Amino acid sequence: MKDSLVVYNTISRKKEKFEPLNPPFVGMYVCGPTVYSDVHIGNCRTFVSFDLIFRYLLQLGYKVRYVRNITDAGHLEGDRDEGDDKFSKKARLEQVEPMEIVQRYTLDFHEVLRLFNTLPPSIEPTATGHISEQISMIEEIIKNGYAYEINGTVYFDVEKYSKDNNYTILTNRNLEDMLANTRELGGQDEKRGRLDFALWIKAKPEHIMRWPSPWGVGFPGWHIECSAMSNKYLGAQFDIHGGGMDLAATHHTNEIAQSQACNSTNPSKYWMHTNMLTVNGARMSKSAGNGFLPRELFTGDHPLLEKGFSPMAVRFFMLQAHYRSTLDFSNAALDASEKGYKRLMSAMVLLPDLKESDEANEVDISELVNRCYNAMNDDFNSPVLIAELFEGVRIINSVYDGKLRLNGQQIAELKRCMEQFTYEVLGLKDDTVNADQDFEEVMDLIIELRNEAKRNKDYVSSDKIRAGLLRIGIQLEDNKQKTRWVKTNSEK
Ligand SMILES: [Zn+2]
């Protein structure tokens, strides 16, 4: 199964066979959040997508070292070194230490990703924890002639680099067009070239986050941190570098340039980018008022939302689109996904109760298993995988209802396939039932009393119980084998 995985590589603009540099090890670096405000739902999509990729690589038996950084310094408001430091600005506004901002939003980020049931990365390094590695890398780039210092600030020399290398190799843009779209340097500018970017920035007296360096007191530029940390934990060359597609044009382009200038190699074999998230067809943005936070999505507390959706329903919704396609949030689409997610989960709970038959129908379960692998091997195509799992749901329900008969081996294979792909690969868990054990036991007791009343032909009592439960949003479903209960009100 391992041999058939193909991955879309942004740098070659095509799907390529996945061949790690040093199997069975896989090194994967994903650009993490800048922790100065609540994590955006669009970022959550990126991290859920890479969680799917991480999980599937583990499923294939690879030993994955997954590094996802925390940007806690150096990220200025403008991507090209303009404006204020995002942490210092927020810290000044709230009159707290910048590291208090970092701590608050790092905890929030972890909590949100925990709700989405993502696996933690193997290493989660911070920019402030790797200042010396960044300084060493900058020194090496200067030594190799691709960076220069002016008044305590060090710039990467894009013009010089472009003479020896293809600066726009990742996105294939025309350098002349890029220059034409970048503003002319004015008298205020120190840098030599319009496309040059800062590796190290001299700290103004009011700047709080500052470190000593060979060029005086300052702080690192944003792009150098990922190059330094990926180099430290994964080596000069590793297998996968990922992030949102908005990072490709500047951040990742500059990361490639820095690694080439320092280590004479493109740092990553495969570059993977996740697509954007839109709301009712429009790009999500704070200024448009259509950017909601994960928690608002869970509670429904936002003018654009008709109700809340559980984290697992949202995860399912995200996985129903391929990571390279845009994903459009709308109440109708979320509703449909929630129904699909519940349908999948109500079939999953039937798995332990499926009865074996001696005379089985001819159903090729291994063919279903193959189709699940084929879906994921085709560049992690989760929507196709979900469609295959619904074929599994159809089989489960038919066996449960006695319309289809499977033998013990078929049932074991079906169970393994459904659990492996639903729980391990898609990373879903069942949050449709009340997890409270006492509540489960009370429900079992009520169902028993009601069925006893029915058996004794005391229909007044049995109907009373059924109607009473329905009033509080619990519906009983009678089946040949047993009675189940489901919640009819999905609002949480
Ligand atoms: Zn990065």
Side-chain angles (χ1 to χ4, degrees):
M1 286 304 164
K2 259 188 194 174
D3 297 339
S4 18
L5 174 61
V6 293
V7 171
Y8 182 86
N9 195 348
T10 308
I11 210 160
S12 65
R13 282 160 277 280
K14 56 176 194 267
K15 286 182 191 170
E16 293 176 18
K17 196 164 186 272
F18 184 67
E19 289 171 321
L21 298 163
N22 185 26
F25 301 99
V26 171
M28 176 163 92
Y29 187 93
V30 173
C31 290
T34 301
V35 284
Y36 75 105
S37 64
D38 291 303
V39 61
H40 191 280
I41 191 77
N43 289 338
C44 292
R45 187 201 180 188
T46 297
F47 302 125
V48 165
S49 298
F50 282 102
D51 183 60
L52 172 80
I53 291 164
F54 180 38
R55 284 168 175 276
Y56 188 60
L57 292 172
L58 292 174
Q59 194 66 47
L60 291 181
Y62 287 116
K63 300 198 180 323
V64 189
R65 183 179 291 169
Y66 173 20
V67 182
R68 187 185 65 208
N69 69 301
I70 294 275
T71 295
D72 59 352
H75 197 165
L76 303 188
E77 284 176 282
D79 272 350
R80 302 208 78 91
D81 318 323
E82 310 116 32
D84 211 344
D85 177 294
K86 288 183 173 181
F87 311 95
S88 303
K89 187 181 175 190
K90 183 104 180 177
R92 257 199 311 282
L93 281 173
E94 299 193 13
Q95 300 197 321
V96 292
E97 266 289 315
M99 286 318 264
E100 285 183 75
I101 301 291
V102 166
Q103 178 73 3
R104 185 195 306 164
Y105 293 110
T106 301
L107 290 174
D108 175 75
F109 171 67
H110 285 157
E111 175 60 12
V112 169
L113 287 201
R114 192 189 62 77
L115 290 171
F116 277 122
N117 201 31
T118 63
L119 299 174
S122 326
I123 306 177
E124 196 170 38
T126 61
T128 55
H130 297 77
I131 299 292
S132 64
E133 286 84 353
Q134 297 178 67
I135 290 175
S136 304
M137 195 161 188
I138 297 168
E139 286 182 307
E140 195 65 22
I141 297 172
I142 295 176
K143 206 174 85 193
N144 294 342
Y146 293 110
Y148 57 89
E149 185 227 327
I150 292 180
N151 292 329
T153 292
V154 181
Y155 292 99
F156 190 93
D157 192 337
V158 174
E159 196 179 320
K160 166 124 194 264
Y161 176 82
S162 304
K163 288 197 180 108
D164 310 325
N165 302 271
N166 180 3
Y167 176 61
T168 57
I169 188 167
L170 187 59
T171 52
N172 208 20
R173 283 163 308 161
N174 183 304
L175 199 61
E176 302 302 317
D177 291 346
M178 274 181 79
L179 276 167
N181 289 327
T182 312
R183 83 182 159 80
E184 297 261 5
L185 292 180
Q188 295 285 317
D189 289 294
E190 297 170 329
K191 58 184 180 185
R192 294 181 197 151
R194 265 188 273 181
L195 296 176
D196 294 358
F197 58 92
L199 297 172
W200 185 265
I201 302 160
K202 180 184 180 169
K204 292 183 186 132
E206 69 273 17
H207 200 96
I208 316 168
M209 299 177 90
R210 45 172 62 215
W211 292 267
S213 81
W215 318 285
V217 174
F219 57 98
W222 171 37
H223 314 301
I224 193 74
E225 68 171 87
C226 288
S227 294
M229 292 189 283
S230 62
N231 187 44
K232 172 160 180 161
Y233 296 110
L234 299 171
Q237 232 201 342
F238 49 93
D239 300 296
I240 298 174
H241 194 311
M245 66 183 271
D246 52 325
L247 297 180
T250 304
H251 184 56
H252 290 165
T253 291
N254 290 347
E255 271 190 57
I256 293 176
Q258 289 165 163
S259 290
Q260 282 283 2
C262 180
N263 302 321
S264 310
T265 176
N266 178 329
S268 181
K269 189 170 176 188
Y270 304 93
W271 285 85
M272 299 180 71
H273 291 97
T274 55
N275 210 323
M276 297 284 125
L277 206 136
T278 54
V279 180
N280 299 321
R283 198 175 158 175
M284 188 185 266
S285 81
K286 262 186 196 151
S287 52
N290 66 354
F292 33 74
L293 299 173
R295 277 203 183 78
E296 293 171 330
L297 195 52
F298 302 154
T299 58
D301 187 18
H302 190 281
L304 284 176
L305 292 165
E306 283 161 13
K307 61 170 202 165
F309 297 90
S310 79
M312 283 302 102
V314 178
R315 182 175 173 115
F316 184 80
F317 169 70
M318 288 177 173
L319 295 172
Q320 273 189 309
H322 187 251
Y323 74 91
R324 283 191 293 115
S325 310
T326 52
L327 174 65
D328 189 44
F329 266 81
S330 69
N331 285 292
L334 279 160
D335 252 336
S337 283
E338 185 181 58
K339 287 198 180 78
Y341 163 68
K342 286 184 173 172
R343 202 153 66 85
L344 175 60
M345 285 304 138
S346 32
M348 293 301 288
V349 296
L350 299 180
L351 278 170
D353 297 328
L354 296 186
K355 293 253 183 318
E356 295 175 15
S357 305
D358 294 333
E359 279 176 48
N361 291 90
E362 265 194 42
V363 183
D364 194 347
I365 304 293
S366 47
E367 187 47 38
L368 175 69
V369 177
N370 284 340
R371 289 203 309 269
C372 289
Y373 274 108
N374 289 344
M376 286 305 286
N377 280 338
D378 183 15
D379 193 27
F380 310 95
N381 201 326
S382 54
V384 172
L385 170 63
I386 289 172
E388 299 298 353
L389 291 177
F390 275 114
E391 174 59 17
V393 167
R394 196 189 59 77
I395 297 172
I396 293 169
N397 289 333
S398 301
V399 174
Y400 190 79
D401 291 340
K403 290 178 193 138
L404 189 70
R405 288 192 300 272
L406 297 184
N407 62 31
Q409 197 200 331
Q410 286 170 311
I411 287 177
E413 201 173 0
L414 177 67
K415 191 166 180 276
R416 197 164 53 241
C417 169
M418 292 303 289
E419 290 182 344
Q420 185 179 338
F421 281 97
T422 304
Y423 300 140
E424 305 300 324
V425 175
L426 292 178
L428 296 169
K429 58 182 184 183
D430 195 351
D431 67 5
T432 58
V433 289
N434 193 317
D436 187 64
Q437 193 57 37
D438 294 343
F439 185 75
E440 296 272 342
E441 284 172 18
V442 170
M443 279 310 297
D444 286 347
L445 182 66
I446 293 174
I447 287 170
E448 200 183 307
L449 289 172
R450 179 255 185 182
N451 288 352
E452 204 174 284
K454 237 171 101 177
R455 273 198 302 277
N456 296 334
K457 300 202 164 38
D458 177 7
Y459 297 117
V460 175
S461 300
S462 70
D463 287 350
K464 193 175 171 186
I465 294 172
R466 185 186 185 86
L469 288 172
L470 208 54
R471 261 202 311 278
I472 56 170
I474 294 172
Q475 188 172 3
L476 298 181
E477 288 180 355
D478 289 316
N479 184 281
K480 270 189 218 149
Q481 296 176 29
K482 68 177 186 185
T483 305
R484 297 166 56 213
W485 60 271
V486 287
K487 283 199 171 184
T488 53
N489 60 334
S490 43
E491 282 90 346
K492 292 219 165 136

